[in-house]
Coordinates of all heavy atoms in Angstrom, one line a residue:
M1 N -0.1 21.5 -7.5 CA -0.5 20.1 -7.7 C 0.7 19.3 -7.9 O 1.7 19.7 -8.5 CB -1.3 20.0 -9.0 CG -1.7 18.6 -9.4 SD -2.3 18.2 -11.0 CE -3.2 19.6 -11.5
C2 N 0.7 18.1 -7.3 CA 1.8 17.2 -7.4 C 1.4 16.0 -8.3 O 0.3 15.5 -8.2 CB 2.2 16.6 -6.0 SG 2.8 17.9 -4.9
L3 N 2.3 15.6 -9.1 CA 2.1 14.4 -10.0 C 3.1 13.3 -9.7 O 4.2 13.6 -9.4 CB 2.2 14.9 -11.4 CG 1.3 15.9 -11.9 CD1 1.6 16.4 -13.3 CD2 -0.1 15.4 -11.9
A4 N 2.6 12.1 -9.8 CA 3.5 11.0 -9.8 C 3.5 10.4 -11.2 O 2.5 10.1 -11.8 CB 3.1 9.9 -8.8
I5 N 4.7 10.2 -11.8 CA 4.8 9.9 -13.2 C 5.4 8.5 -13.4 O 6.5 8.3 -12.8 CB 5.7 10.9 -14.0 CG1 5.1 12.4 -13.7 CG2 5.7 10.6 -15.5 CD1 3.8 12.6 -14.3
P6 N 4.9 7.6 -14.2 CA 5.6 6.4 -14.5 C 6.8 6.6 -15.4 O 6.8 7.4 -16.4 CB 4.5 5.5 -15.2 CG 3.3 6.3 -15.3 CD 3.6 7.7 -14.9
G7 N 7.9 5.8 -15.1 CA 9.0 5.8 -16.0 C 9.7 4.5 -15.9 O 9.4 3.7 -15.0
K8 N 10.5 4.2 -16.9 CA 11.2 2.9 -17.0 C 12.7 3.0 -16.5 O 13.4 3.9 -17.0 CB 11.2 2.4 -18.4 CG 11.7 1.0 -18.6 CD 11.5 0.5 -19.9 CE 11.9 -1.0 -20.1 NZ 11.6 -1.5 -21.4
I9 N 13.1 2.2 -15.6 CA 14.4 2.2 -15.1 C 15.4 1.7 -16.2 O 15.2 0.6 -16.7 CB 14.6 1.3 -13.8 CG1 13.7 1.9 -12.7 CG2 16.1 1.3 -13.4 CD1 13.6 1.1 -11.5
V10 N 16.4 2.4 -16.5 CA 17.4 2.1 -17.5 C 18.8 1.7 -16.8 O 19.6 1.0 -17.4 CB 17.6 3.1 -18.6 CG1 16.3 3.2 -19.4 CG2 18.0 4.4 -18.0
A11 N 19.0 2.2 -15.6 CA 20.2 1.8 -14.9 C 20.0 2.1 -13.4 O 19.2 3.0 -13.1 CB 21.4 2.6 -15.4
I12 N 20.7 1.4 -12.6 CA 20.7 1.7 -11.1 C 22.2 1.7 -10.6 O 23.0 0.9 -11.0 CB 20.0 0.6 -10.4 CG1 18.5 0.5 -10.8 CG2 20.1 0.8 -8.9 CD1 17.7 -0.6 -10.2
D13 N 22.4 2.7 -9.8 CA 23.7 2.9 -9.2 C 23.5 3.2 -7.7 O 23.1 4.4 -7.3 CB 24.5 4.1 -9.8 CG 25.9 4.3 -9.2 OD1 26.4 3.4 -8.5 OD2 26.5 5.3 -9.5
G14 N 23.5 2.2 -6.9 CA 23.2 2.4 -5.4 C 21.8 2.6 -5.3 O 20.9 1.9 -5.7
D15 N 21.4 3.8 -4.6 CA 20.0 4.1 -4.4 C 19.5 5.0 -5.5 O 18.4 5.4 -5.5 CB 19.9 4.9 -3.1 CG 20.0 4.0 -1.9 OD1 19.8 2.8 -2.0 OD2 20.2 4.5 -0.8
D16 N 20.4 5.4 -6.5 CA 20.0 6.2 -7.6 C 19.7 5.4 -8.8 O 20.4 4.5 -9.2 CB 21.0 7.2 -7.9 CG 21.2 8.3 -6.8 OD1 20.2 8.6 -6.2 OD2 22.3 8.7 -6.6
A17 N 18.5 5.7 -9.5 CA 18.2 5.0 -10.7 C 18.1 6.1 -11.8 O 17.7 7.2 -11.6 CB 16.9 4.3 -10.6
Y18 N 18.5 5.7 -13.0 CA 18.3 6.5 -14.2 C 17.0 6.1 -14.9 O 16.9 4.9 -15.3 CB 19.5 6.5 -15.0 CG 20.7 6.9 -14.3 CD1 21.6 5.9 -13.7 CD2 21.0 8.2 -14.0 CE1 22.6 6.3 -12.9 CE2 22.1 8.6 -13.3 CZ 22.9 7.7 -12.7 OH 24.0 8.0 -11.9
I19 N 16.1 6.9 -15.0 CA 14.7 6.6 -15.4 C 14.4 7.3 -16.6 O 14.5 8.5 -16.8 CB 13.7 6.8 -14.3 CG1 14.2 6.0 -13.0 CG2 12.3 6.5 -14.7 CD1 13.3 6.2 -11.8
D20 N 13.8 6.6 -17.6 CA 13.4 7.1 -18.9 C 11.9 7.5 -18.8 O 11.1 6.6 -18.6 CB 13.7 6.1 -20.0 CG 13.3 6.6 -21.4 OD1 12.8 7.7 -21.5 OD2 13.6 5.9 -22.4
F21 N 11.6 8.8 -18.9 CA 10.2 9.3 -19.0 C 10.0 9.7 -20.4 O 10.0 10.9 -20.7 CB 10.1 10.5 -18.0 CG 10.3 10.2 -16.6 CD1 11.5 10.4 -16.0 CD2 9.3 9.6 -15.8 CE1 11.7 10.1 -14.7 CE2 9.5 9.3 -14.5 CZ 10.7 9.6 -13.9
G22 N 9.7 8.7 -21.3 CA 9.4 9.0 -22.7 C 10.5 9.8 -23.4 O 10.2 10.6 -24.2
G23 N 11.7 9.4 -23.2 CA 12.9 10.0 -23.9 C 13.6 11.0 -23.0 O 14.8 11.3 -23.3
S24 N 13.0 11.5 -21.9 CA 13.7 12.4 -21.0 C 14.2 11.5 -19.9 O 13.4 10.9 -19.2 CB 12.8 13.5 -20.5 OG 13.4 14.3 -19.6
K25 N 15.5 11.5 -19.6 CA 16.1 10.6 -18.6 C 16.4 11.4 -17.4 O 17.1 12.5 -17.5 CB 17.3 9.9 -19.1 CG 16.9 8.8 -20.2 CD 18.1 8.0 -20.6 CE 17.6 7.0 -21.7 NZ 17.3 7.6 -23.0
K26 N 16.0 11.0 -16.2 CA 16.2 11.7 -15.0 C 16.6 10.8 -13.9 O 16.4 9.5 -14.1 CB 14.9 12.4 -14.5 CG 14.3 13.4 -15.5 CD 15.1 14.6 -15.6 CE 14.5 15.6 -16.6 NZ 15.3 16.8 -16.8
T27 N 17.2 11.3 -12.9 CA 17.6 10.4 -11.7 C 16.6 10.5 -10.6 O 16.0 11.5 -10.4 CB 18.9 10.9 -11.2 OG1 19.9 11.0 -12.2 CG2 19.4 10.0 -10.1
A28 N 16.3 9.3 -10.0 CA 15.4 9.2 -8.9 C 15.9 8.3 -7.9 O 16.6 7.3 -8.2 CB 14.0 8.8 -9.3
N29 N 15.6 8.5 -6.6 CA 16.0 7.6 -5.6 C 15.1 6.4 -5.5 O 13.8 6.5 -5.6 CB 16.0 8.3 -4.2 CG 16.5 7.6 -3.1 OD1 15.9 6.6 -2.7 ND2 17.6 8.0 -2.5
V30 N 15.7 5.2 -5.5 CA 14.9 3.9 -5.5 C 15.0 3.2 -4.1 O 14.6 2.0 -4.1 CB 15.2 3.0 -6.6 CG1 14.7 3.6 -7.9 CG2 16.7 2.7 -6.7
S31 N 15.4 3.9 -3.1 CA 15.6 3.2 -1.8 C 14.3 2.7 -1.2 O 14.3 1.9 -0.3 CB 16.3 4.1 -0.8 OG 15.6 5.3 -0.5
M32 N 13.1 3.3 -1.6 CA 11.9 2.9 -1.0 C 11.2 1.7 -1.6 O 10.2 1.2 -1.2 CB 10.9 4.1 -1.0 CG 11.5 5.2 -0.1 SD 10.4 6.6 0.1 CE 9.1 6.6 -1.1
V33 N 11.8 1.2 -2.8 CA 11.1 0.1 -3.5 C 12.2 -0.9 -3.9 O 13.4 -0.6 -3.8 CB 10.5 0.6 -4.8 CG1 9.3 1.5 -4.5 CG2 11.4 1.3 -5.7
D34 N 11.7 -2.1 -4.2 CA 12.6 -3.2 -4.6 C 12.5 -3.2 -6.1 O 11.6 -3.9 -6.7 CB 12.2 -4.5 -4.0 CG 13.2 -5.6 -4.3 OD1 14.3 -5.3 -4.7 OD2 12.7 -6.8 -4.2
A35 N 13.3 -2.5 -6.8 CA 13.2 -2.3 -8.3 C 14.4 -2.8 -9.0 O 15.6 -2.7 -8.4 CB 12.9 -0.9 -8.6
E36 N 14.3 -3.2 -10.2 CA 15.4 -3.6 -11.0 C 15.3 -2.9 -12.4 O 14.3 -2.4 -12.8 CB 15.3 -5.2 -11.3 CG 15.3 -6.0 -10.0 CD 15.1 -7.4 -10.3 OE1 14.9 -7.8 -11.4 OE2 15.1 -8.2 -9.3
V37 N 16.5 -2.9 -13.1 CA 16.5 -2.4 -14.4 C 15.5 -3.0 -15.3 O 15.3 -4.2 -15.2 CB 18.0 -2.5 -15.0 CG1 18.0 -2.1 -16.5 CG2 19.0 -1.8 -14.2
G38 N 14.8 -2.2 -16.1 CA 13.8 -2.7 -17.0 C 12.4 -2.6 -16.4 O 11.4 -2.7 -17.1
Q39 N 12.3 -2.4 -15.1 CA 10.9 -2.3 -14.5 C 10.4 -0.8 -14.6 O 11.2 0.1 -14.7 CB 11.0 -2.7 -13.0 CG 11.2 -4.2 -12.8 CD 11.1 -4.6 -11.3 OE1 11.8 -3.9 -10.5 NE2 10.3 -5.6 -11.0
W40 N 9.1 -0.7 -14.5 CA 8.5 0.6 -14.5 C 8.2 1.0 -13.0 O 7.8 0.1 -12.2 CB 7.2 0.5 -15.2 CG 7.4 0.4 -16.7 CD1 7.7 -0.7 -17.4 CD2 7.3 1.5 -17.6 NE1 7.8 -0.4 -18.8 CE2 7.6 1.0 -18.9 CE3 7.0 2.9 -17.5 CZ2 7.6 1.7 -20.0 CZ3 7.0 3.7 -18.6 CH2 7.3 3.1 -19.9
V41 N 8.4 2.2 -12.7 CA 8.2 2.7 -11.4 C 7.4 4.0 -11.5 O 7.5 4.8 -12.4 CB 9.5 3.0 -10.6 CG1 10.1 1.7 -10.2 CG2 10.5 3.9 -11.3
V42 N 6.7 4.3 -10.4 CA 6.0 5.6 -10.2 C 6.9 6.5 -9.4 O 7.4 6.1 -8.4 CB 4.6 5.5 -9.5 CG1 4.0 6.8 -9.4 CG2 3.7 4.5 -10.3
V43 N 7.2 7.7 -10.0 CA 8.1 8.6 -9.3 C 7.4 9.9 -8.9 O 6.7 10.5 -9.7 CB 9.3 9.0 -10.3 CG1 10.3 10.0 -9.6 CG2 10.1 7.7 -10.7
H44 N 7.6 10.2 -7.6 CA 7.0 11.4 -7.1 C 8.1 12.1 -6.3 O 8.7 11.5 -5.4 CB 5.8 11.1 -6.2 CG 5.3 12.3 -5.5 ND1 4.6 13.3 -6.1 CD2 5.3 12.6 -4.2 CE1 4.3 14.2 -5.2 NE2 4.7 13.8 -4.0
A45 N 8.3 13.4 -6.5 CA 9.2 14.3 -5.8 C 10.6 13.7 -5.7 O 11.3 13.7 -4.7 CB 8.7 14.5 -4.4
G46 N 11.1 13.0 -6.8 CA 12.4 12.5 -6.9 C 12.6 11.1 -6.3 O 13.7 10.6 -6.2
F47 N 11.5 10.5 -5.8 CA 11.6 9.1 -5.2 C 10.7 8.2 -6.0 O 9.5 8.5 -6.3 CB 11.2 9.1 -3.8 CG 12.2 9.8 -2.9 CD1 12.2 11.2 -2.7 CD2 13.1 9.0 -2.2 CE1 13.1 11.8 -1.9 CE2 14.0 9.6 -1.4 CZ 14.0 11.0 -1.2
A48 N 11.2 7.0 -6.3 CA 10.3 5.9 -6.8 C 9.4 5.4 -5.6 O 10.0 5.1 -4.6 CB 11.1 4.8 -7.4
I49 N 8.1 5.5 -5.8 CA 7.2 5.1 -4.7 C 6.5 3.8 -4.9 O 5.8 3.3 -4.0 CB 6.2 6.3 -4.3 CG1 5.4 6.6 -5.6 CG2 7.0 7.5 -3.9 CD1 4.3 7.6 -5.3
E50 N 6.6 3.3 -6.1 CA 5.9 2.1 -6.4 C 6.4 1.4 -7.7 O 6.7 2.2 -8.7 CB 4.4 2.4 -6.6 CG 3.5 1.2 -7.0 CD 2.0 1.5 -7.2 OE1 1.6 2.7 -7.0 OE2 1.3 0.7 -7.6
V51 N 6.5 0.1 -7.7 CA 6.8 -0.6 -8.9 C 5.5 -1.0 -9.6 O 4.6 -1.4 -8.9 CB 7.6 -1.9 -8.7 CG1 7.9 -2.7 -9.9 CG2 9.0 -1.5 -8.0
M52 N 5.4 -0.8 -10.9 CA 4.2 -1.1 -11.6 C 4.5 -1.9 -12.8 O 5.6 -1.9 -13.4 CB 3.4 0.1 -12.0 CG 4.0 1.1 -12.9 SD 3.3 2.7 -13.2 CE 1.6 2.4 -13.0
D53 N 3.5 -2.7 -13.3 CA 3.8 -3.5 -14.5 C 3.7 -2.6 -15.8 O 3.1 -1.5 -15.7 CB 2.9 -4.7 -14.7 CG 1.4 -4.4 -14.8 OD1 1.1 -3.5 -15.6 OD2 0.6 -5.1 -14.2
E54 N 4.2 -3.0 -16.9 CA 4.3 -2.2 -18.1 C 3.0 -1.8 -18.6 O 2.7 -0.7 -19.1 CB 5.1 -2.8 -19.2 CG 5.3 -2.0 -20.4 CD 6.3 -2.5 -21.4 OE1 6.8 -3.6 -21.2 OE2 6.5 -1.8 -22.4
D55 N 2.0 -2.7 -18.6 CA 0.6 -2.4 -19.1 C 0.0 -1.3 -18.3 O -0.6 -0.4 -18.9 CB -0.3 -3.7 -19.0 CG 0.1 -4.8 -20.0 OD1 0.8 -4.4 -21.0 OD2 -0.2 -6.0 -19.8
E56 N 0.1 -1.4 -17.0 CA -0.4 -0.3 -16.2 C 0.3 1.0 -16.4 O -0.4 2.1 -16.5 CB -0.3 -0.7 -14.7 CG -1.0 0.3 -13.8 CD -0.8 -0.2 -12.3 OE1 0.0 -1.0 -12.0 OE2 -1.6 0.5 -11.5
A57 N 1.6 1.0 -16.6 CA 2.3 2.2 -16.9 C 1.9 2.8 -18.2 O 1.7 4.0 -18.3 CB 3.8 1.9 -16.9
Q58 N 1.8 2.0 -19.2 CA 1.4 2.5 -20.6 C 0.0 3.1 -20.6 O -0.3 4.1 -21.2 CB 1.5 1.3 -21.6 CG 2.9 0.9 -21.9 CD 3.8 2.0 -22.4 OE1 3.4 3.0 -23.0 NE2 5.1 1.8 -22.3
E59 N -0.9 2.4 -19.8 CA -2.3 2.9 -19.7 C -2.4 4.3 -19.0 O -3.1 5.2 -19.4 CB -3.2 1.9 -19.0 CG -4.6 2.4 -18.8 CD -5.4 2.6 -20.2 OE1 -5.0 2.1 -21.2 OE2 -6.4 3.3 -20.1
T60 N -1.5 4.4 -17.9 CA -1.5 5.7 -17.2 C -0.9 6.8 -18.1 O -1.5 7.9 -18.2 CB -0.6 5.5 -16.0 OG1 -1.1 4.5 -15.1 CG2 -0.4 6.8 -15.2
L61 N 0.1 6.5 -18.9 CA 0.7 7.5 -19.8 C -0.3 7.8 -20.9 O -0.4 9.0 -21.3 CB 2.0 7.0 -20.4 CG 3.2 6.8 -19.4 CD1 4.3 6.1 -20.0 CD2 3.5 8.2 -18.9
K62 N -1.0 6.8 -21.4 CA -2.0 7.1 -22.5 C -3.1 8.0 -22.0 O -3.5 9.0 -22.6 CB -2.6 5.8 -22.9 CG -3.7 6.0 -24.1 CD -4.4 4.7 -24.4 CE -5.5 4.9 -25.4 NZ -6.4 6.0 -25.2
L63 N -3.6 7.7 -20.8 CA -4.7 8.6 -20.2 C -4.2 10.0 -20.0 O -4.9 11.0 -20.3 CB -5.1 8.0 -18.9 CG -5.9 6.7 -18.9 CD1 -6.1 6.2 -17.6 CD2 -7.3 7.0 -19.7
W64 N -3.0 10.2 -19.5 CA -2.3 11.5 -19.3 C -2.2 12.2 -20.6 O -2.6 13.4 -20.8 CB -1.0 11.4 -18.6 CG -0.3 12.7 -18.4 CD1 0.8 13.1 -18.9 CD2 -0.8 13.7 -17.5 NE1 1.1 14.3 -18.5 CE2 0.2 14.8 -17.6 CE3 -1.9 13.9 -16.7 CZ2 0.0 16.0 -17.0 CZ3 -2.0 15.2 -16.0 CH2 -1.0 16.2 -16.2
N65 N -1.7 11.5 -21.6 CA -1.5 12.2 -23.0 C -2.9 12.5 -23.6 O -3.0 13.6 -24.2 CB -0.7 11.3 -23.9 CG 0.8 11.3 -23.5 OD1 1.3 12.3 -23.1 ND2 1.4 10.2 -23.6
D66 N -3.9 11.6 -23.4 CA -5.2 12.0 -23.9 C -5.7 13.2 -23.3 O -6.4 14.1 -24.0 CB -6.2 10.8 -23.7 CG -5.9 9.6 -24.6 OD1 -5.1 9.7 -25.5 OD2 -6.5 8.5 -24.3
F67 N -5.6 13.3 -22.0 CA -6.0 14.5 -21.3 C -5.3 15.8 -21.8 O -5.9 16.8 -22.1 CB -5.7 14.3 -19.8 CG -6.0 15.6 -19.0 CD1 -7.3 16.1 -18.9 CD2 -5.0 16.2 -18.3 CE1 -7.6 17.2 -18.2 CE2 -5.3 17.4 -17.6 CZ -6.6 17.9 -17.5
L68 N -4.0 15.7 -22.0 CA -3.3 16.9 -22.5 C -3.7 17.2 -23.9 O -3.8 18.4 -24.2 CB -1.7 16.6 -22.4 CG -1.1 16.5 -21.0 CD1 0.3 16.1 -21.2 CD2 -1.3 17.8 -20.3
D69 N -3.9 16.2 -24.7 CA -4.3 16.5 -26.1 C -5.8 16.9 -26.2 O -6.2 17.5 -27.3 CB -4.1 15.2 -26.9 CG -2.6 14.8 -27.1 OD1 -1.8 15.7 -26.9 OD2 -2.4 13.7 -27.4
S70 N -6.6 16.8 -25.2 CA -8.0 17.1 -25.3 C -8.3 18.6 -25.3 O -9.4 19.0 -25.6 CB -8.7 16.5 -24.1 OG -8.4 17.2 -22.9
G71 N -7.3 19.4 -24.8 CA -7.5 20.8 -24.7 C -8.2 21.2 -23.4 O -8.4 22.4 -23.1
E72 N -8.5 20.2 -22.6 CA -9.1 20.5 -21.3 C -8.0 20.8 -20.2 O -8.4 21.3 -19.1 CB -9.9 19.2 -20.8 CG -11.0 18.9 -21.6 CD -12.1 20.0 -21.6 OE1 -12.4 20.5 -20.5 OE2 -12.6 20.3 -22.7
A73 N -6.8 20.5 -20.4 CA -5.7 20.8 -19.5 C -5.4 22.3 -19.5 O -5.0 22.8 -20.6 CB -4.5 19.9 -19.8
D74 N -5.5 22.9 -18.4 CA -5.1 24.3 -18.3 C -3.9 24.3 -17.3 O -4.1 24.2 -16.1 CB -6.3 25.1 -17.8 CG -5.9 26.6 -17.8 OD1 -4.8 27.0 -18.1 OD2 -6.9 27.4 -17.4
I75 N -2.7 24.5 -17.9 CA -1.6 24.4 -17.0 C -1.0 25.8 -16.7 O 0.2 25.9 -16.3 CB -0.5 23.5 -17.7 CG1 -0.2 24.0 -19.1 CG2 -1.0 22.1 -17.7 CD1 1.0 23.3 -19.7
R76 N -1.8 26.9 -16.9 CA -1.3 28.2 -16.5 C -1.3 28.3 -15.0 O -2.0 27.7 -14.3 CB -2.3 29.3 -17.1 CG -2.2 29.3 -18.6 CD -3.3 30.3 -19.1 NE -4.6 29.7 -18.8 CZ -5.7 30.3 -18.9 NH1 -5.7 31.6 -19.1 NH2 -6.9 29.7 -18.6
K77 N -0.4 29.2 -14.6 CA -0.3 29.5 -13.2 C -1.6 30.2 -12.7 O -2.2 31.1 -13.3 CB 0.8 30.5 -12.8 CG 2.1 29.8 -12.6 CD 3.1 30.9 -12.1 CE 4.3 30.3 -11.5 NZ 5.3 31.3 -11.2
P78 N -2.1 29.8 -11.5 CA -3.3 30.5 -11.0 C -3.0 31.9 -10.6 O -1.8 32.2 -10.2 CB -3.7 29.6 -9.7 CG -2.5 28.8 -9.4 CD -1.7 28.7 -10.7
Q79 N -3.9 32.8 -10.8 CA -3.6 34.2 -10.4 C -4.1 34.6 -9.0 O -5.0 34.0 -8.5 CB -4.3 35.1 -11.4 CG -3.7 34.8 -12.8 CD -4.3 35.8 -13.8 OE1 -5.0 36.7 -13.5 NE2 -4.0 35.5 -15.1

């Protein structure tokens, strides 16, 4: 399964952005979007694929966290 996760851009250096995913900062390529520091982006496979507003990002993160907290998420490897 592949996931696209929202994160907030904290710095940009060329095509690379440093993105905060809830305290974990990772690098992603932003060459496919017109993004600026402070904006939220959806990141998939190391690339920012969409700029989103903060409300939408927060709602997506809330839904994801609610799912994880529900006990319905089974993240074990399939056998």
Side-chain angles (χ1 to χ4, degrees):
M1 175 192 331
C2 296
L3 298 173
I5 308 294
K8 187 174 184 177
I9 298 174
V10 295
I12 297 176
D13 182 15
D15 285 340
D16 292 325
Y18 302 96
I19 302 177
D20 184 352
F21 297 98
S24 178
K25 293 184 179 70
K26 304 288 181 186
T27 304
N29 185 294
V30 290
S31 63
M32 298 185 343
V33 295
D34 184 21
E36 299 175 1
V37 171
Q39 289 184 311
W40 287 80
V41 290
V42 178
V43 177
H44 173 70
F47 288 85
I49 59 172
E50 179 182 352
V51 176
M52 64 189 328
D53 66 44
E54 184 171 3
D55 290 339
E56 185 178 14
Q58 293 297 339
E59 179 63 18
T60 300
L61 292 171
K62 180 188 177 312
L63 290 170
W64 178 247
N65 287 323
D66 288 349
F67 173 65
L68 292 175
D69 293 342
S70 73
E72 296 294 318
D74 185 359
I75 56 174
R76 293 175 290 165
K77 271 187 165 177
Q79 296 185 10

